[in-house]
Amino acid sequence: MPRQIQFLEKAVTMSNIIHIAPDDTAGISAVRALLEHEGLRLDAHVDYTCAIRDADGTFIATGSCAGNTLRCFAVVTEHRGEGMLRRLLDHLMGVQAARGNGNVFLYTKPTTAPYFKQLGFYEVARVPNRVVFMENRPDGFSGMLAKWKAETPAGTYENIGAVVLNANPFTLGHQYLIEYAAARSGLLHVFIVSEDVSFFPGAVRERLVRAGTAHLPNVVCHASGPYIVSQATFPSYFQKDEDEAIRGHAALDLIVFTEIAAALGITRRFVGAEQASHVTSLYNDSMHRLLPQAGITCEIIPRKEHAGAPISASSVRTCIREGRMKELADLVPAPTLAYLTSEESADVRRAIRRAENVVHY
């Protein structure tokens, strides 16, 4: 644990805020009980949790971090209005500062969003009656929109399209989807998910996408930043079950995307058909239902196949895990193959071979 956070934890313990270590079974159980009392669950992705105790040692407030996001806030009813939320927020923002995160995001219920607004957070998007996505900068999202506009070549275009992909790693399937979309678009925006929650680092994924689409003159690539949210960091603790969490994530993601589309003039989104991944299948269903309501056409494209099976990043990772490196030439573009067979990718390949599961459900 970084020394700054250790020092911070020691300091705040004296003010009755304590850090709950992941292996503190009793502490985690108490946090879970407090959250459940308030109708929430402890999010599986949290990496730092703190709590406030009363004089009897009972947990009366809690909050957590997951990467550069804040979540899982709860204050028992009897202690609301006593500044507990501000104390938790100040502490967790200190943790974020120690991590070097200046831009911090927060997920909360619509009923508690006004309190966080008073404490300096700004709304980015919301799913009514479900979740509000907020950030600590008034110009964060607008600044990202301005950045994407600046990256876009000047001109007047018809049929502006978009593709969003994680590319873990970039495959011939991804390339086929982008080539298909580019042929049907005057300009195609390709957004590469920035969050580093994949086997392949964000900078590498972006580099391989750019290299694999360099032959398409009407394609402009963008790093998504934090505004095209990944499934790995979306807060599931608001939802009743996993499918509901996926649908909630999709709804929030698509609300944000409609704002992006309006700013960039995007009228069509292209996605690959999905049969193997339950998550992507539910996402595609949500896009097909929700995007037309915002005037955006959603076109689902059949996957490119090899040897009778769809080409996917999961199939590439499976080949790496099983040592079938010779098969990669049929699954990935030349820049991706060059990377996968280079010393630069050695650590990534080792991580894939050690992983229990490399196929996304």
Side-chain angles (χ1 to χ4, degrees), residues 69-73 105-117 121-135 229 234-235 237-239 248 251-253 255-256:
T69 70
L70 308 181
R71 56 187 70 185
C72 296
F73 286 94
F105 300 85
L106 182 148
Y107 297 99
T108 189
K109 288 183 173 182
T111 52
T112 53
Y115 299 104
F116 287 106
K117 182 177 180 180
F121 276 75
Y122 302 85
E123 182 172 329
V124 177
R126 72 167 58 204
V127 180
N129 303 316
R130 188 174 289 180
V131 61
V132 180
F133 180 41
M134 310 182 79
E135 64 179 329
V229 189
F234 180 76
Y237 61 95
F238 293 102
Q239 317 302 331
L252 180 61
D253 198 18
I255 288 170
V256 175

Side-chain angles (χ1 to χ4, degrees), residues 244-263:
E244 183 65 16
I246 295 165
R247 292 189 183 95
H249 173 199
L252 180 61
D253 198 18
L254 295 175
I255 288 170
V256 175
F257 180 77
T258 57
E259 295 292 326
I260 296 169

